[in-house]
Amino acid sequence: MANAGVEIVDEPVLDATEEQFDRLFAINSKGAFFTLQKAAKLLTDGGRLINIGSSSTVSPVPGTGLYSSSKTASRQLVRVLALELGPRNITVNTILPTVIAGAGVFTQVTEDDEFHQVNAGMRPLGGRPGTPEDVADAAEYLAGDLAAWVSGQALLVSGGAVQ
């Protein structure tokens, strides 16, 4: 499973620096590429590869152009790897979590924060942010036999939110 990444949010595209670009693409794109490549080489036939991406690749959000574009590369890589590894019966998928409490830039967000209050209405399932367990459940599904015929897909884990 590839699950490394760094975020820069609230940074308009016009203000992003080359240093920020290089850092995000080195970790989020290059890191995912070589992690998935190495894992694919080590996997036995019939194995599973899972990438953790970002819901920001589904729907654009102002201030996340640099971050979401760095995460889009691995989403496309998953689709290509699914085709290349399919003959070995290896499935390759990506999970696209939305706001996950305690993860990334949301590490310090609590239910009392304005961010949570504003975004609660966007989450039809209980109005709560996702949890690491929600993402783990999706990974368990994709890693298991029930998803043996699912490959090259992006699973949005969002509590019903469209992004």
Side-chain angles (χ1 to χ4, degrees), residues 10 18 24 29 43 45 62-63 68 83 87 95 98 109 111 113 127 138 144:
D10 296 327
E18 188 172 352
L24 262 65
S29 298
L43 265 179
D45 291 357
S68 60
L83 296 172
I95 297 171
T98 187
V109 174
E111 289 189 23
D113 287 332

Side-chain angles (χ1 to χ4, degrees), residues 105-130:
V105 296
F106 308 108
T107 302
Q108 303 300 321
V109 174
T110 67
E111 289 189 23
D112 297 330
D113 287 332
E114 179 183 348
F115 177 85
H116 176 72
Q117 300 299 325
V118 169
N119 285 284
M122 298 171 52
R123 316 230 176 277
L125 294 179
R128 65 170 178 82

